[in-house]
Amino acid sequence: MPELTVRYGGRNGRAVRFALSPGMVVVRTRNRAPLVRALVSARSREVLDSFERHAAFPEHGVEVLRLRPVPGAPRMVDRDAARELLRRDPAVEFAGCALVSASSLRHPNAALAEPVVYTENLFVAFREGTPPARARALLQDYGLRVRRTLPWAGHAYAVSAPRGTGVAVFEIAGALLDRPEVELCHPELVRRRLFRRAFAPQWHLRSARVNGVRIDAHVDAAGAWRAARGEGVTIAIIDEGIDIDHEEFARRGKIVAPRDVTHGHDDPRPGRGEAHGTACAGIACAEGRAGASGVAPAARLMPIRMASGIGSFDEATALVWAVDHAADVISCSWGPPDGQWWNPDDPTHGEEVPLPDYTRLAIEYAASRGRKGRGAVVCFAAGNGNEPVEHDGYASHPHVVAVAACNDRSTRSVYSDHGAAIWCAFPSNDYSSDALGHPPPRTPGIWTTDVTGNAGYNPGGGLTRGDREGDYTSGFGGTSSACPGVAGVAALVLARNPRLRARDVREVIRRCCDRIDEAGGEYDEDGHSRYYGYGRVNARRAVSIAARFVLVFALAMSGGCAATAEYGELGKAGAAYAAAVEKLLVADAELHADASSERLLQNDALANLTDAQYQRATDDDRRLIATLWVLRRHVRLTREYFVRLGDVAGDRTASKVDDTTAALARELRGLGERLEESALLDADGRKALGALAAVGVSSALRGALARELRAHGDAIRRELALQRTLLDALAAHLGASLSAVTQAREHRLVRAPLLAEKPISNADRWVAQRRAVLLADGAVAELAAASEAAAALESAFEALMQGRLTADRLSALGIELQALLDVASIALEEGER
Amino acid sequence: MTRRRRPARREVAPAAVTRRELLAELRDLELALHAPAVQARFEKQPPEVRQRFVEDRLEISHYVALLAHAELADIQGQLARLEPELRDGIARLSSALDAAARTAAILNALTSLLGPLARVLALA
């Protein structure tokens, strides 16, 4: 059987091979009605009885029929006989072949292979500089009609081949790719779009009791809402239709730029049977007024209805619509068909579905042009096939945040796709599986908005599937549910700090995650798990990191001479690090003194202390605090070193010398004219003299930096290694002091007054003291991560020494340093309570 | 007899790891001994029992302080050995800055000298 080849990424790009499916037929009726309602002949009906309806692509007016599996029985018809008969039927306009991936035909379960439909449309992108007239003439040579231009993809067009071209569109695409003017070209191939839904109270947002069981597997959205609720941020949900009349989306200004890209109008309301989009939108940004809250309840919603199959031009149109209408975050809870998660023999597991070039360019357009150049955050559901996410070109695109699902036990949902491309996880539903040794879930799923009345997942009338009215569902799930959850977290992050670039938001999400399921998560050295990415997102921590992202911003904005910029950035980072450690040392000394005093008070309450006992304890404290002070002096020296490194790297002397030399040249020229030697210093000469002097000074400074690091690089390495040890020790000491202070104050200021017979005189003060005690537990937990900053600085220094210091590494270093500064601030605040 | 200088350590010695583990255990014990429930229980004990308990608790705290100080002092000692190199680095970087500034200063001086010279030549 001949194979058909498609190339994504141009002539030398990736080749994907297809074959004609032996068991499937694609049919289009003349009146575009479904075959069951079409007035086909009795003979055709007889043939059709041998098939079952496998998929429908209403936007293209076609259905895919698959031969019914009848074990042992002889087939009455085969594919080609059926096509021939149907073609002769006056009610049928077209009866063609479906495609399947070539590799799936070699699979033992080939009958389960997913169909791929070609549409006789093509994507063509010309090389820069090709005259439009030449491009259009070339398209005409192949009989192609321009349907629309695609300016976001460069010099590109969506074109149609004449009706009846059939599989010859593959030959046309191949021939066009061979033309020197053409950069990208491939046919539009469509698959079933599988929504990432797999088969209460909102336990995913905060700790909650469901069916009498306490569920503590949430993202702490409620904790984040104290700082941000998504104000001023727009989340685009590209999905089935969305019920924009639902009470949770009814606030004035909530809905922005609604669109139906499949039909080209502005009404995104759901068609019959479309409940998925409304559920997704609710998870991201339901207002929380009546029955359900989104992760970012104050965010605006851009509902974009896309009822087309996967691979359609419409998916690029939808992404570009979102970007051009100022969406900040884009959530896509769909992707290529998944294999059955419980069936390892399903051939779909092994099928790779690459991104069409137009969709790839649209995602890159979102990343580079969205939010006025800062980039829109694009989230995709990882998939529900319990299979490698790398096979899914959508979720595994490097600009995409690929979201996996975890469950109400803080372990993976059995269906969730896995792999290196997973960025993070968000709570969702789950299923039990004896075969896979997977326990049953404790909740029905995620509670979210449903299409109003009986049109959605919950028909209403009872409480088993949601509320009585049918406006909310309790059982939403899949990575479909997880994806808009992370989109909501991204919206909270941007509400807190709108200056962040899309890549910064990805970093914030990475940094905020809770590592769940340590035993089964298979986390690697970088803290990445193939099942959870960097872990389950923690919205409260994400907002906290976003608020303090100034340092990273400063690093990104740092200017200076390009040749010395990396030294300057390391200098800044080192100085910021040393400042934070100094702060920690001060906090440690203060908390140590407090802890020791509290213990003396506790001891004195039991037995009057002697002078000798007091003196020994005080001597111990003085000695330890004196050492902390010596360390503080050393850290100041470290800080001075890095400041000086930054000073040399960022020195403006070179540009000043340039100005001075220009003035000198002017004077020389004046002098030269007098001496009739002006030709020696004409305009070009003046310029060259100035530039040479500046380069000379700049090279001298760079040389000095390089010599310095050659001379003392080893000492700095040792310094940074020791700093890591110091931070570990400080974190342990601070943690112990903080626990001691908290424990003693709880007893002295909270517990004892409450248990005393006398009523508490100042209730507000007592409440505040108790709150301080309870919140201190969180501060102790944060301390554990302090030494990561030292490790990041060490690694950035090594990269600089080897000439591999990249913007990504600096960005990661900035986040670690910010976390260290956070810890230092928290510790100081605790010390001052 | 000449004493051989010990090579500089580049990482925390195994003994320190053991000390750290011991310190962590003692800190946990210290915290447990100061727990509100323990404190409340001993408040009801006779004076001699309380006295003995306080002495023991103070002893534990003393050992914790000794170990914590030893850990920090060890790190501090190793860091202190690097200080001459840090100071030398600061001096080198400062002189690089000074050299650049001197270049600019020389050029400035030359410029200001040439102005009057040109005017003198113009008068000649």
Side-chain angles (χ1 to χ4, degrees), chain A residues 193-215:
Chain A
R193 184 164 53 122
L194 213 70
F195 291 114
R196 300 309 201 184
R197 182 178 183 275
F199 302 91
Q202 297 189 284
W203 59 267
H204 61 294
L205 300 178
R206 66 179 99 197
S207 180
R209 194 171 281 278
V210 181
N211 301 332
V213 180
R214 168 65 58 188
I215 306 295

Side-chain angles (χ1 to χ4, degrees), chain A residues 341 405-409 411-416 429-441 517 532:
Chain A
W341 60 259
C406 52
N407 60 19
D408 51 28
R409 297 175 191 269
T411 57
R412 72 183 282 256
S413 299
V414 67
Y415 51 77
S416 188
N429 72 338
D430 201 4
Y431 300 105
S432 64
S433 166
D434 291 340
L436 299 173
H438 201 78
D517 188 18
Y532 309 110

Side-chain angles (χ1 to χ4, degrees), chain A residues 200-201 203 443-448 458 463-467 472-476:
Chain A
W203 59 267
T443 59
I446 301 297
W447 177 284
T448 181
N458 171 21
L463 296 175
T464 51
R465 296 171 73 176
D467 67 326
Y472 299 89
T473 175
S474 60
F476 195 52

Side-chain angles (χ1 to χ4, degrees), chain A residues 599-600 602-603 605-607 609 613 616 620 623-624 627-628 630-631 634 637-638 640-641 644-645 647-648 651 653 657 660-661 663-664 667-668 671 674 697 701 704-705 707-708 711-712 714-716 718-719 722 725-726 728-729 732-733 736 739-740 743 747 751, chain B residues 8 10 12 20 27 30-31 34-36 39-40 42-43 50-51 53-55 57-59 61-62 65-66 68-69 71-73 75-76 78-80 82-83 85-90 92-94 96-97 100-101 103-104 107-108 110-111 114-115 117-118 121-122:
Chain A
R599 281 180 177 150
L600 286 173
Q602 280 183 304
N603 284 326
L606 292 182
L609 291 185
Q613 286 171 327
R616 190 168 75 154
D620 286 343
R623 193 167 46 238
L624 194 133
T627 304
L628 289 173
V630 176
L631 280 166
H634 176 88
L637 191 67
T638 313
E640 191 184 341
Y641 177 84
R644 200 50 57 95
L645 199 70
D647 282 350
V648 173
D651 187 65
T653 307
V657 164
T660 306
T661 316
L664 176 62
E667 297 293 348
L668 281 174
L671 194 58
R674 284 287 154 200
V697 173
L701 289 173
L705 287 167
R707 277 196 303 281
E708 161 51 26
H712 296 124
D714 197 37
I716 300 299
R718 274 181 280 152
E719 168 80 27
L722 280 168
T725 312
L726 173 63
D728 279 341
H733 191 221
S739 298
Q743 189 183 64
H747 180 67
R751 196 164 179 266
Chain B
R10 295 196 175 181
V12 178
R20 181 171 293 182
R27 277 175 171 152
E30 189 186 27
L31 197 65
H34 286 82
Q39 184 78 7
F42 275 90
E43 278 169 2
R50 282 187 275 155
Q51 186 71 38
F53 178 64
V54 164
E55 282 170 11
R57 250 185 0 188
L58 282 168
E59 204 62 16
S61 294
H62 175 61
L66 283 181
H69 177 260
E71 182 181 40
L72 289 173
I75 297 168
Q76 187 269 321
Q78 293 182 62
L79 284 169
L82 295 171
E83 288 187 3
E85 296 206 56
L86 276 179
R87 290 206 168 87
D88 187 43
I90 291 168
R92 276 167 174 261
L93 292 167
S94 300
L97 272 179
T103 307
L107 288 171
N108 268 329
L110 198 53
T111 309
L114 286 174
L117 185 59
L121 282 173

Side-chain angles (χ1 to χ4, degrees), chain A residues 70 146 198 223 284 322 331 442 454 460 566 639 645 711 735:
Chain A
V70 187
V146 173
S331 179
R442 298 184 295 176
N454 62 2
E566 65 270 38
R639 186 181 183 184
L645 199 70

Side-chain angles (χ1 to χ4, degrees), chain A residues 301-369:
Chain A
L301 169 64
M302 186 185 294
I304 302 177
R305 179 171 186 255
M306 186 180 78
S308 324
I310 196 89
S312 152
F313 270 118
D314 293 338
E315 59 196 28
T317 308
L319 286 160
V320 172
W321 174 273
V323 174
D324 289 349
H325 292 81
D328 299 290
V329 183
I330 302 171
S331 179
C332 304
S333 290
W334 41 268
D338 300 309
Q340 295 163 335
W341 60 259
W342 60 90
N343 178 8
D345 295 327
D346 186 335
T348 312
H349 289 314
E351 190 169 332
E352 294 189 26
V353 181
L355 270 178
D357 283 331
Y358 40 80
T359 309
R360 174 177 59 78
L361 291 168
I363 290 174
E364 287 163 12
Y365 179 73
S368 62
R369 302 290 294 278

